[in-house]
């Protein structure tokens, strides 16, 4: 079975400092992995996705993530946090060999950005 | 391009009452998903439609939840009767395709959700 574990339920950083949101995955097959962001009272927005091409994936708003098979990790990073980055972030794995492409979400990490 | 539309945005009901949610996917998207997001958790898939057929409803509590997608466009999700534990945000998403091998057209786009409170 495929699953993701987000290692921190809440992360707090100061504006201008780096962001690291941690995610480990479990998958019997080569996974497709995603990061989604959810701002309060808004829908989920895709930040980036990994589909077995380049292991370093660049997304929107300066975010990037690195797929590390040996560590079964897909951590999300950003060099410099902005106040507008404050939101809930979800690490997601997509079921493979399933005609529906079902997404399996982690529990989420709430990112707070202090001025 | 218009996004996924959902209504209502908020709904408060008492337990044992009925409620219905509506979703209008992005034009041309064949696949539609309903997710349930309980506070403090990630979204969980309830049901997936491919056009007007059900692809996956394994996580749908069928004794009280039902969903339909008439004509392969709009969809409604109903709860009857509601329980306290149904309090959650119900998210609708759509994608152009949903094949076994991930393609750009499989990207799921989410609506703003309906926040349901059951008292």
């Amino acid at each position: 079975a495929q699953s993701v574990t987000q290692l921190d339920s809440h992360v707090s950083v100061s504006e201008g400092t780096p962001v690291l949101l941690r995610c480990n995955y479990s998958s019997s097959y080569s996974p497709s992995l995603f990061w989604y962001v959810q701002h309060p009272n808004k829908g989920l927005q895709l930040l980036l996705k990994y589909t077995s091409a380049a292991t370093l994936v660049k997304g929107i708003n300066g975010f990037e993530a690195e797929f590390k098979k040996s560590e079964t990790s897909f951590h999300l990073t950003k060099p410099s946090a902005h106040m507008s980055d404050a939101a809930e972030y979800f690490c997601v794995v997509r079921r493979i060999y399933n005609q529906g492409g079902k997404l399996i979400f982690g529990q989420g990490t709430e990112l707070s950005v202090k001025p | 391009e218009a996004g996924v539309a959902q209504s209502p945005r908020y709904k408060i009901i008492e337990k044992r009452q009925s409620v219905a949610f509506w979703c209008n996917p992005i034009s041309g998207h064949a696949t539609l998903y309903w997710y349930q997001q309980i506070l403090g958790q990630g979204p969980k898939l309830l049901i997936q439609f491919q056009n007007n057929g059900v692809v996956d409803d394994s996580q749908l509590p069928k004794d009280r939840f039902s969903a339909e997608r008439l004509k392969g466009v709009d969809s409604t999700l109903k709860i009857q009767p509601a329980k306290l534990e149904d309090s959650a945000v119900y998210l609708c998403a759509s994608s152009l395709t949903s094949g076994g091998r991930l393609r750009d057209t499989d990207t799921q786009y989410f609506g703003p959700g309906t926040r349901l409170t059951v008292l």
Side-chain angles (χ1 to χ4, degrees), chain B residues 28-88:
Chain B
H29 280 197
T31 311
L32 185 147
Y33 313 79
W34 283 102
Y35 290 84
Q36 179 192 56
Q37 184 178 16
I38 293 173
L39 186 65
Q41 299 181 17
K44 180 186 75 173
L45 181 70
L46 291 176
I47 188 168
Q48 177 185 339
F49 291 94
Q50 179 72 21
N51 296 308
N52 60 351
V54 175
V55 172
D56 184 349
D57 64 356
S58 58
Q59 302 264 58
L60 187 74
K62 298 180 185 65
D63 57 335
R64 297 184 300 107
F65 286 64
S66 64
E68 61 182 9
R69 191 182 184 198
L70 299 176
K71 301 180 182 178
V73 182
D74 294 5
S75 176
T76 56
L77 176 69
K78 298 179 181 178
I79 307 175
Q80 180 178 12
K83 292 185 175 182
L84 297 177
E85 59 261 35
D86 298 332
S87 293

Side-chain angles (χ1 to χ4, degrees), chain A residues 32 34 49 94-103, chain B residues 28-33 35 45 47-56 69 93-109:
Chain A
S32 291
F34 309 77
K49 62 184 176 184
R94 180 178 183 268
R95 281 182 59 179
I96 306 299
Y97 303 114
N98 175 311
Q99 65 180 108
K102 176 179 176 178
L103 298 182
Chain B
H29 280 197
T31 311
L32 185 147
Y33 313 79
Y35 290 84
L45 181 70
I47 188 168
Q48 177 185 339
F49 291 94
Q50 179 72 21
N51 296 308
N52 60 351
V54 175
V55 172
D56 184 349
R69 191 182 184 198
S94 70
S95 63
L96 192 60
T97 60
S98 61
R101 184 178 178 84
L102 184 66
R103 297 163 288 183
D104 283 342
T105 51
D106 291 343
T107 298
Q108 294 184 27
Y109 296 90

